[in-house]
Amino acid sequence: MLVARSNRLIRLNFRWLPRSAFRPADSELADCVLVVGVSRPKLAAALLSVTLLSLFLTFHVLYDSALYSIQAASIASAASEGRKILQNQESSRTISHPMTLRKRLKIPRAPRPVRRLPQALIIGVRKCGTRALLEMLYLHPMVQKASGEVHFFDRDENYALGLEWYRSKMPLSFKGQITIEKSPSYFVTPEVPERVRAMNSSVRLLLIVREPVTRAISDYTQLRSRATPSAPALSSPGHPLPDAAKPFEHLAITPDGAINIAYRPIAISLYHAYLHRWLEVFPREQILVVNGDQLIEDPVPQLRRIEKFLGLEHKIGRKNFYFNETKGFYCLRNDTTDKCLRETKGRKHPRVDPAVVTKLRKFFVQHNQRFYDLVGEDLGWPED
Protein backbone atom coordinates (compact mmCIF):
# COMPACT_ATOMS: atom_id res chain seq x y z
CA MET A 1 0.00 0.00 0.00
CA LEU A 2 1.28 3.45 -0.91
CA VAL A 3 0.72 6.57 1.33
CA ALA A 4 1.48 10.10 0.15
CA ARG A 5 3.69 12.12 2.48
CA SER A 6 5.23 15.47 1.52
CA ASN A 7 4.84 14.66 -2.16
CA ARG A 8 6.57 11.36 -1.60
CA LEU A 9 5.14 7.88 -1.61
CA ILE A 10 5.58 5.69 1.47
CA ARG A 11 5.08 1.98 1.17
CA LEU A 12 3.12 0.26 4.03
CA ASN A 13 3.38 -3.50 4.09
CA PHE A 14 0.43 -5.58 5.50
CA ARG A 15 0.87 -9.24 6.24
CA TRP A 16 -1.42 -11.84 7.79
CA LEU A 17 0.28 -14.29 10.10
CA PRO A 18 -1.19 -17.50 11.45
CA ARG A 19 -2.10 -17.65 15.11
CA SER A 20 0.32 -20.42 15.78
CA ALA A 21 3.07 -17.92 15.29
CA PHE A 22 1.98 -16.10 18.48
CA ARG A 23 0.03 -18.45 20.79
CA PRO A 24 -0.30 -22.11 21.51
CA ALA A 25 -2.96 -23.95 19.62
CA ASP A 26 -5.42 -23.95 22.52
CA SER A 27 -5.53 -20.12 22.71
CA GLU A 28 -8.82 -18.38 22.03
CA LEU A 29 -7.28 -15.70 19.85
CA ALA A 30 -8.47 -15.13 16.32
CA ASP A 31 -7.03 -17.30 13.54
CA CYS A 32 -4.96 -14.47 12.12
CA VAL A 33 -3.32 -11.30 13.48
CA LEU A 34 -2.97 -8.14 11.49
CA VAL A 35 0.54 -6.73 11.67
CA VAL A 36 1.27 -3.33 10.32
CA GLY A 37 4.82 -2.59 9.50
CA VAL A 38 6.28 0.79 8.92
CA SER A 39 9.33 1.04 6.87
CA ARG A 40 10.37 4.42 8.29
CA PRO A 41 11.18 4.76 12.08
CA LYS A 42 10.42 8.47 12.16
CA LEU A 43 6.99 7.88 10.72
CA ALA A 44 6.35 5.20 13.35
CA ALA A 45 7.29 7.62 16.11
CA ALA A 46 4.98 10.28 14.69
CA LEU A 47 2.05 7.87 14.51
CA LEU A 48 2.70 6.74 18.08
CA SER A 49 2.80 10.34 19.29
CA VAL A 50 -0.45 11.15 17.57
CA THR A 51 -2.05 8.08 19.09
CA LEU A 52 -0.85 8.89 22.60
CA LEU A 53 -1.96 12.52 22.26
CA SER A 54 -5.39 11.41 21.10
CA LEU A 55 -5.69 9.06 24.06
CA PHE A 56 -4.60 11.83 26.46
CA LEU A 57 -7.10 14.33 25.07
CA THR A 58 -9.85 11.76 25.17
CA PHE A 59 -9.06 10.89 28.81
CA HIS A 60 -8.89 14.59 29.75
CA VAL A 61 -12.31 15.28 28.20
CA LEU A 62 -13.84 12.29 29.99
CA TYR A 63 -12.29 13.38 33.32
CA ASP A 64 -13.57 16.96 33.01
CA SER A 65 -17.01 15.69 32.07
CA ALA A 66 -17.14 13.38 35.09
CA LEU A 67 -15.94 16.13 37.44
CA TYR A 68 -18.54 18.56 36.10
CA SER A 69 -21.26 15.97 36.55
CA ILE A 70 -20.25 15.40 40.18
CA GLN A 71 -20.22 19.14 40.91
CA ALA A 72 -23.57 19.64 39.21
CA ALA A 73 -25.08 16.83 41.24
CA SER A 74 -23.71 18.34 44.46
CA ILE A 75 -25.14 21.77 43.65
CA ALA A 76 -28.49 20.25 42.75
CA SER A 77 -28.55 18.37 46.04
CA ALA A 78 -27.75 21.50 48.04
CA ALA A 79 -30.43 23.46 46.19
CA SER A 80 -32.91 20.69 46.88
CA GLU A 81 -32.11 20.79 50.60
CA GLY A 82 -32.47 24.57 50.58
CA ARG A 83 -35.87 24.34 48.98
CA LYS A 84 -36.96 21.78 51.54
CA ILE A 85 -35.94 24.11 54.37
CA LEU A 86 -37.85 27.01 52.80
CA GLN A 87 -40.86 24.81 52.23
CA ASN A 88 -40.79 23.67 55.85
CA GLN A 89 -40.57 27.25 57.02
CA GLU A 90 -43.36 28.38 54.75
CA SER A 91 -45.58 25.43 55.62
CA SER A 92 -45.62 26.61 59.25
CA ARG A 93 -47.14 29.95 58.18
CA THR A 94 -50.69 30.62 57.16
CA ILE A 95 -50.89 32.04 53.64
CA SER A 96 -54.00 34.11 53.24
CA HIS A 97 -53.46 35.20 49.64
CA PRO A 98 -51.55 33.72 46.66
CA MET A 99 -49.59 36.96 46.25
CA THR A 100 -47.82 36.22 49.54
CA LEU A 101 -45.87 33.51 47.68
CA ARG A 102 -43.84 36.27 46.08
CA LYS A 103 -42.71 37.47 49.50
CA ARG A 104 -41.47 34.16 50.85
CA LEU A 105 -37.81 34.74 50.14
CA LYS A 106 -37.74 38.31 51.50
CA ILE A 107 -35.71 38.80 54.68
CA PRO A 108 -38.10 39.79 57.51
CA ARG A 109 -37.57 43.21 59.00
CA ALA A 110 -36.46 43.49 62.61
CA PRO A 111 -39.41 44.46 64.86
CA ARG A 112 -39.55 48.10 65.79
CA PRO A 113 -40.83 49.47 69.10
CA VAL A 114 -43.78 51.85 69.04
CA ARG A 115 -45.70 53.88 71.60
CA ARG A 116 -48.88 52.13 72.69
CA LEU A 117 -51.77 53.14 74.90
CA PRO A 118 -51.49 51.36 78.25
CA GLN A 119 -52.96 47.89 78.60
CA ALA A 120 -52.83 48.20 82.40
CA LEU A 121 -53.25 51.05 84.86
CA ILE A 122 -52.32 51.47 88.50
CA ILE A 123 -55.29 53.58 89.54
CA GLY A 124 -54.37 54.11 93.19
CA VAL A 125 -54.51 54.43 96.09
CA ARG A 126 -52.34 57.38 97.04
CA LYS A 127 -49.66 56.57 99.68
CA CYS A 128 -50.24 52.85 99.39
CA GLY A 129 -47.12 52.02 97.38
CA THR A 130 -48.10 52.82 93.80
CA ARG A 131 -44.57 53.91 92.86
CA ALA A 132 -42.97 50.89 94.51
CA LEU A 133 -45.43 48.61 92.70
CA LEU A 134 -44.68 50.19 89.33
CA GLU A 135 -40.92 49.89 89.80
CA MET A 136 -41.25 46.27 90.91
CA LEU A 137 -43.31 45.38 87.85
CA TYR A 138 -40.73 47.11 85.67
CA LEU A 139 -38.29 44.35 86.67
CA HIS A 140 -40.27 42.10 84.34
CA PRO A 141 -38.81 42.04 80.80
CA MET A 142 -42.28 42.19 79.26
CA VAL A 143 -43.33 45.37 81.10
CA GLN A 144 -42.71 48.96 80.02
CA LYS A 145 -43.73 51.89 82.23
CA ALA A 146 -44.56 55.53 81.74
CA SER A 147 -41.83 57.59 83.37
CA GLY A 148 -44.14 59.76 85.48
CA GLU A 149 -47.72 60.34 86.52
CA VAL A 150 -49.42 61.53 83.35
CA HIS A 151 -52.75 62.55 84.95
CA PHE A 152 -54.55 62.17 81.64
CA PHE A 153 -57.92 60.92 82.83
CA ASP A 154 -58.27 63.03 85.98
CA ARG A 155 -57.29 66.45 84.65
CA ASP A 156 -59.64 68.05 82.15
CA GLU A 157 -56.90 70.12 80.50
CA ASN A 158 -54.91 66.96 79.74
CA TYR A 159 -57.91 64.89 78.69
CA ALA A 160 -58.89 67.58 76.21
CA LEU A 161 -55.58 67.00 74.39
CA GLY A 162 -56.80 63.60 73.22
CA LEU A 163 -55.54 60.04 73.11
CA GLU A 164 -52.68 60.77 70.72
CA TRP A 165 -51.23 63.17 73.25
CA TYR A 166 -51.64 60.48 75.88
CA ARG A 167 -49.96 57.95 73.60
CA SER A 168 -47.01 60.30 73.12
CA LYS A 169 -46.40 60.11 76.88
CA MET A 170 -46.08 56.33 76.80
CA PRO A 171 -42.76 54.48 76.51
CA LEU A 172 -41.63 52.62 73.41
CA SER A 173 -42.56 48.96 73.58
CA PHE A 174 -42.35 45.85 71.41
CA LYS A 175 -45.28 43.69 70.43
CA GLY A 176 -46.24 41.47 73.35
CA GLN A 177 -44.97 43.85 76.02
CA ILE A 178 -47.41 45.49 78.43
CA THR A 179 -47.39 49.25 78.93
CA ILE A 180 -48.36 50.42 82.42
CA GLU A 181 -49.10 53.92 83.67
CA LYS A 182 -49.91 54.99 87.21
CA SER A 183 -51.65 58.06 88.57
CA PRO A 184 -53.05 57.49 92.09
CA SER A 185 -55.64 60.26 91.81
CA TYR A 186 -57.45 58.23 89.13
CA PHE A 187 -59.09 56.20 91.90
CA VAL A 188 -60.85 59.11 93.60
CA THR A 189 -61.79 61.23 90.54
CA PRO A 190 -65.44 60.64 89.54
CA GLU A 191 -65.01 61.05 85.76
CA VAL A 192 -62.09 58.65 85.40
CA PRO A 193 -63.80 55.21 85.18
CA GLU A 194 -65.90 56.19 82.15
CA ARG A 195 -62.95 57.88 80.47
CA VAL A 196 -60.76 54.83 80.95
CA ARG A 197 -63.42 52.55 79.49
CA ALA A 198 -63.72 54.84 76.47
CA MET A 199 -60.00 54.29 75.84
CA ASN A 200 -59.96 50.52 76.41
CA SER A 201 -62.83 48.55 77.88
CA SER A 202 -60.57 45.52 78.46
CA VAL A 203 -57.82 47.40 80.32
CA ARG A 204 -56.42 45.72 83.45
CA LEU A 205 -56.71 47.79 86.63
CA LEU A 206 -54.42 47.49 89.65
CA LEU A 207 -55.68 48.92 92.94
CA ILE A 208 -53.15 48.84 95.78
CA VAL A 209 -54.44 49.55 99.29
CA ARG A 210 -53.07 49.67 102.84
CA GLU A 211 -54.60 49.64 106.28
CA PRO A 212 -56.68 52.87 106.23
CA VAL A 213 -55.32 54.55 109.36
CA THR A 214 -51.71 53.87 108.37
CA ARG A 215 -52.45 55.27 104.92
CA ALA A 216 -54.02 58.43 106.38
CA ILE A 217 -51.01 59.07 108.63
CA SER A 218 -48.65 58.53 105.68
CA ASP A 219 -50.69 60.99 103.62
CA TYR A 220 -50.50 63.55 106.42
CA THR A 221 -46.72 63.01 106.69
CA GLN A 222 -46.23 63.79 103.01
CA LEU A 223 -48.43 66.88 103.14
CA ARG A 224 -46.52 68.16 106.16
CA SER A 225 -43.17 67.61 104.44
CA ARG A 226 -44.32 69.84 101.58
CA ALA A 227 -45.37 72.70 103.86
CA THR A 228 -43.40 75.91 103.58
CA PRO A 229 -40.63 76.04 106.16
CA SER A 230 -41.42 79.73 106.75
CA ALA A 231 -44.83 78.90 108.22
CA PRO A 232 -45.10 80.16 111.83
CA ALA A 233 -44.64 77.48 114.46
CA LEU A 234 -47.50 78.83 116.63
CA SER A 235 -50.88 80.18 115.64
CA SER A 236 -51.95 83.69 116.38
CA PRO A 237 -55.28 85.50 115.98
CA GLY A 238 -54.24 86.89 112.62
CA HIS A 239 -52.12 83.96 111.48
CA PRO A 240 -53.72 80.55 112.05
CA LEU A 241 -51.55 77.51 111.48
CA PRO A 242 -51.87 75.87 108.07
CA ASP A 243 -53.21 72.34 108.15
CA ALA A 244 -49.81 70.86 107.27
CA ALA A 245 -48.33 72.41 110.39
CA LYS A 246 -51.03 71.10 112.73
CA PRO A 247 -50.71 67.78 114.55
CA PHE A 248 -52.45 64.86 112.88
CA GLU A 249 -54.75 64.42 115.89
CA HIS A 250 -56.13 67.96 115.50
CA LEU A 251 -56.92 67.36 111.83
CA ALA A 252 -58.39 63.85 112.07
CA ILE A 253 -60.59 64.56 115.09
CA THR A 254 -62.97 67.52 115.32
CA PRO A 255 -63.10 69.65 118.48
CA ASP A 256 -66.24 67.82 119.56
CA GLY A 257 -64.46 64.45 119.32
CA ALA A 258 -65.96 63.19 116.04
CA ILE A 259 -63.99 61.77 113.12
CA ASN A 260 -63.29 64.50 110.59
CA ILE A 261 -64.33 62.75 107.37
CA ALA A 262 -63.91 66.05 105.52
CA TYR A 263 -60.15 65.84 106.12
CA ARG A 264 -58.82 64.51 102.83
CA PRO A 265 -56.35 61.91 104.22
CA ILE A 266 -59.30 60.40 106.13
CA ALA A 267 -61.71 60.69 103.18
CA ILE A 268 -59.42 58.88 100.75
CA SER A 269 -59.13 55.96 103.16
CA LEU A 270 -62.86 55.28 102.73
CA TYR A 271 -62.04 52.95 99.84
CA HIS A 272 -65.55 51.61 99.25
CA ALA A 273 -66.85 55.14 98.51
CA TYR A 274 -64.72 55.22 95.36
CA LEU A 275 -64.52 51.58 94.34
CA HIS A 276 -68.23 51.22 93.72
CA ARG A 277 -67.92 53.78 90.87
CA TRP A 278 -65.35 51.58 89.18
CA LEU A 279 -67.45 48.46 89.64
CA GLU A 280 -70.36 50.20 87.92
CA VAL A 281 -68.16 50.53 84.82
CA PHE A 282 -65.79 47.53 84.93
CA PRO A 283 -66.41 43.90 85.89
CA ARG A 284 -64.80 42.78 89.12
CA GLU A 285 -62.42 40.41 87.33
CA GLN A 286 -60.71 43.36 85.60
CA ILE A 287 -59.66 44.88 88.92
CA LEU A 288 -56.96 43.30 91.06
CA VAL A 289 -56.69 44.47 94.66
CA VAL A 290 -53.07 44.43 95.81
CA ASN A 291 -52.32 44.31 99.54
CA GLY A 292 -49.82 47.13 100.01
CA ASP A 293 -48.90 46.08 103.54
CA GLN A 294 -47.94 42.61 102.34
CA LEU A 295 -46.10 44.06 99.34
CA ILE A 296 -43.84 45.92 101.77
CA GLU A 297 -43.27 42.89 104.01
CA ASP A 298 -42.81 40.26 101.28
CA PRO A 299 -43.22 41.50 97.70
CA VAL A 300 -42.85 38.23 95.77
CA PRO A 301 -46.27 36.59 96.53
CA GLN A 302 -48.14 39.76 95.59
CA LEU A 303 -46.11 40.14 92.40
CA ARG A 304 -46.85 36.55 91.39
CA ARG A 305 -50.57 37.33 91.66
CA ILE A 306 -50.09 40.38 89.48
CA GLU A 307 -48.06 38.49 86.86
CA LYS A 308 -50.88 35.96 86.59
CA PHE A 309 -53.50 38.72 86.43
CA LEU A 310 -51.63 40.42 83.57
CA GLY A 311 -51.02 37.15 81.72
CA LEU A 312 -47.26 37.33 82.18
CA GLU A 313 -44.82 34.50 82.71
CA HIS A 314 -43.39 34.40 86.23
CA LYS A 315 -40.07 36.24 86.04
CA ILE A 316 -39.81 38.32 89.23
CA GLY A 317 -38.42 36.37 92.17
CA ARG A 318 -36.56 36.76 95.44
CA LYS A 319 -33.33 37.29 93.54
CA ASN A 320 -34.73 40.69 92.53
CA PHE A 321 -34.93 42.06 96.08
CA TYR A 322 -32.72 42.76 99.05
CA PHE A 323 -33.67 44.26 102.38
CA ASN A 324 -32.18 47.68 103.14
CA GLU A 325 -31.65 47.88 106.90
CA THR A 326 -31.22 51.66 106.80
CA LYS A 327 -34.45 52.38 104.96
CA GLY A 328 -36.34 49.50 106.55
CA PHE A 329 -37.87 48.11 103.34
CA TYR A 330 -36.96 46.04 100.32
CA CYS A 331 -34.96 47.51 97.46
CA LEU A 332 -34.82 46.30 93.87
CA ARG A 333 -32.12 44.36 92.07
CA ASN A 334 -31.72 43.29 88.46
CA ASP A 335 -28.86 41.86 86.40
CA THR A 336 -26.96 45.14 86.21
CA THR A 337 -27.79 47.32 89.21
CA ASP A 338 -29.42 47.75 92.59
CA LYS A 339 -32.07 50.41 93.15
CA CYS A 340 -33.91 51.86 96.11
CA LEU A 341 -36.79 54.29 95.95
CA ARG A 342 -35.80 57.88 96.53
CA GLU A 343 -35.58 59.33 100.01
CA THR A 344 -39.06 60.85 99.82
CA LYS A 345 -40.45 57.31 99.91
CA GLY A 346 -40.69 55.53 103.21
CA ARG A 347 -40.71 58.67 105.37
CA LYS A 348 -40.78 58.12 109.08
CA HIS A 349 -44.25 58.74 110.46
CA PRO A 350 -44.77 61.12 113.37
CA ARG A 351 -45.94 59.66 116.65
CA VAL A 352 -49.72 59.72 116.87
CA ASP A 353 -51.64 59.43 120.12
CA PRO A 354 -52.52 55.70 120.46
CA ALA A 355 -56.01 56.64 121.66
CA VAL A 356 -56.61 58.49 118.40
CA VAL A 357 -55.32 55.53 116.38
CA THR A 358 -57.68 53.19 118.24
CA LYS A 359 -60.61 55.54 117.71
CA LEU A 360 -59.89 55.80 114.01
CA ARG A 361 -59.59 52.03 113.58
CA LYS A 362 -62.92 51.46 115.27
CA PHE A 363 -64.45 54.07 112.99
CA PHE A 364 -63.11 52.31 109.92
CA VAL A 365 -64.40 48.85 110.87
CA GLN A 366 -67.75 49.25 109.14
CA HIS A 367 -66.21 51.01 106.16
CA ASN A 368 -63.58 48.31 105.78
CA GLN A 369 -66.27 45.66 105.86
CA ARG A 370 -68.11 47.37 103.02
CA PHE A 371 -64.85 47.38 101.07
CA TYR A 372 -64.31 43.66 101.82
CA ASP A 373 -67.78 42.94 100.49
CA LEU A 374 -67.05 44.77 97.24
CA VAL A 375 -63.75 43.00 96.58
CA GLY A 376 -64.83 39.61 97.94
CA GLU A 377 -61.86 39.40 100.30
CA ASP A 378 -61.20 40.10 103.97
CA LEU A 379 -57.85 41.88 104.23
CA GLY A 380 -57.70 41.43 108.00
CA TRP A 381 -57.01 45.01 109.00
CA PRO A 382 -56.89 45.67 112.78
CA GLU A 383 -60.09 46.89 114.41
CA ASP A 384 -58.67 48.60 117.47
Side-chain angles (χ1 to χ4, degrees):
M1 179 179 179
L2 298 178
V3 178
R5 182 182 179 226
S6 303
N7 299 323
R8 296 173 60 187
L9 295 179
I10 301 173
R11 183 178 299 276
L12 297 178
N13 297 321
F14 293 88
R15 183 179 180 184
W16 293 94
L17 298 177
R19 66 178 181 175
S20 59
F22 298 91
R23 292 282 184 180
D26 56 353
S27 173
E28 296 180 358
L29 295 177
D31 289 342
C32 295
V33 179
L34 176 63
V35 177
V36 179
V38 182
S39 59
R40 300 291 183 90
K42 291 183 179 181
L43 179 60
L47 290 175
L48 181 61
S49 298
V50 171
T51 302
L52 292 175
L53 181 60
S54 299
L55 290 173
F56 173 77
L57 293 175
T58 302
F59 174 77
H60 186 70
V61 170
L62 292 175
Y63 173 79
D64 286 347
S65 178
L67 183 62
Y68 176 80
S69 298
I70 293 172
Q71 291 176 342
S74 177
I75 294 172
S77 176
S80 177
E81 290 297 325
R83 284 194 297 271
K84 288 181 181 179
I85 293 173
L86 289 176
Q87 289 172 357
N88 290 336
Q89 291 176 346
E90 293 297 331
S91 64
S92 64
R93 303 174 184 171
T94 301
I95 299 174
S96 58
H97 192 279
M99 289 299 291
T100 58
L101 293 172
R102 300 174 60 183
K103 301 179 181 180
R104 283 184 176 181
L105 298 180
K106 289 186 177 181
I107 299 175
R109 293 182 178 179
R112 295 181 179 178
V114 298
R115 301 187 190 277
R116 295 178 172 85
L117 293 173
Q119 298 91 15
L121 291 173
I122 299 176
I123 59 175
V125 176
R126 171 185 166 91
K127 302 311 299 176
C128 287
T130 56
R131 170 57 61 182
L133 177 58
L134 183 64
E135 295 296 337
M136 290 176 182
L137 290 176
Y138 188 53
L139 291 169
H140 200 289
M142 296 304 291
V143 169
Q144 293 289 355
K145 65 179 177 70
S147 59
E149 297 176 4
V150 182
H151 291 286
F152 175 67
F153 298 104
D154 61 319
R155 295 181 181 175
D156 292 341
E157 62 273 21
N158 289 342
Y159 192 69
L161 297 175
L163 286 177
E164 287 308 310
W165 177 87
Y166 186 43
R167 189 196 305 274
S168 71
K169 300 298 181 181
M170 295 300 106
L172 293 170
S173 65
F174 289 97
K175 184 178 181 180
Q177 289 185 312
I178 293 178
T179 299
I180 299 180
E181 187 248 327
K182 77 102 176 174
S183 293
S185 51
Y186 286 168
F187 181 61
V188 298
T189 307
E191 300 83 8
V192 171
E194 288 288 354
R195 289 176 175 181
V196 172
R197 182 174 66 175
M199 176 198 70
N200 182 1
S201 61
S202 62
V203 67
R204 294 285 175 170
L205 305 171
L206 297 172
L207 176 66
I208 181 170
V209 293
R210 295 190 68 188
E211 191 273 316
V213 179
T214 303
R215 195 220 68 81
I217 296 173
S218 179
D219 202 350
Y220 162 80
T221 303
Q222 177 167 299
L223 292 172
R224 188 178 67 171
S225 70
R226 295 176 178 175
T228 55
S230 60
L234 297 174
S235 62
S236 61
H239 300 86
L241 282 175
D243 283 351
K246 296 177 181 178
F248 175 77
E249 295 88 339
H250 293 180
L251 298 170
I253 307 296
T254 61
D256 62 359
I259 304 298
N260 184 11
I261 59 175
Y263 181 47
R264 190 154 181 80
I266 298 295
I268 292 177
S269 289
L270 300 172
Y271 303 138
H272 67 87
Y274 308 97
L275 181 60
H276 77 85
R277 298 175 184 162
W278 289 88
L279 293 176
E280 289 174 357
V281 176
F282 291 96
R284 173 67 184 86
E285 56 269 20
Q286 277 183 235
I287 303 175
L288 181 68
V289 176
V290 181
N291 190 322
D293 298 305
Q294 293 183 7
L295 187 73
I296 293 173
E297 295 173 4
D298 187 6
V300 175
Q302 292 296 308
L303 291 170
R304 285 194 172 273
R305 291 179 60 234
I306 298 171
E307 286 173 324
K308 182 178 180 181
F309 175 70
L310 297 178
L312 296 171
E313 183 181 354
H314 293 312
K315 291 289 187 180
I316 307 173
R318 300 197 182 280
K319 66 181 183 301
N320 297 115
F321 300 94
Y322 68 96
F323 191 79
N324 187 306
E325 297 289 348
T326 302
K327 292 181 175 292
F329 53 79
Y330 283 94
C331 295
L332 285 57
R333 171 175 290 156
N334 57 25
D335 295 336
T336 58
T337 186
D338 296 344
K339 178 180 181 181
C340 274
L341 299 180
R342 61 182 185 269
E343 294 180 357
T344 57
K345 301 299 181 181
R347 294 186 183 94
K348 186 177 180 180
H349 292 179
R351 183 186 180 279
V352 177
D353 185 346
V356 172
V357 173
T358 299
K359 186 170 186 174
L360 286 170
R361 284 178 173 167
K362 289 181 178 179
F363 165 78
F364 275 106
V365 168
Q366 59 176 327
H367 297 285
N368 292 344
Q369 187 58 53
R370 293 172 67 179
F371 180 69
Y372 297 162
D373 294 340
L374 287 176
V375 301
E377 179 183 1
D378 187 337
L379 298 179
W381 290 324
E383 299 181 357
D384 54 26

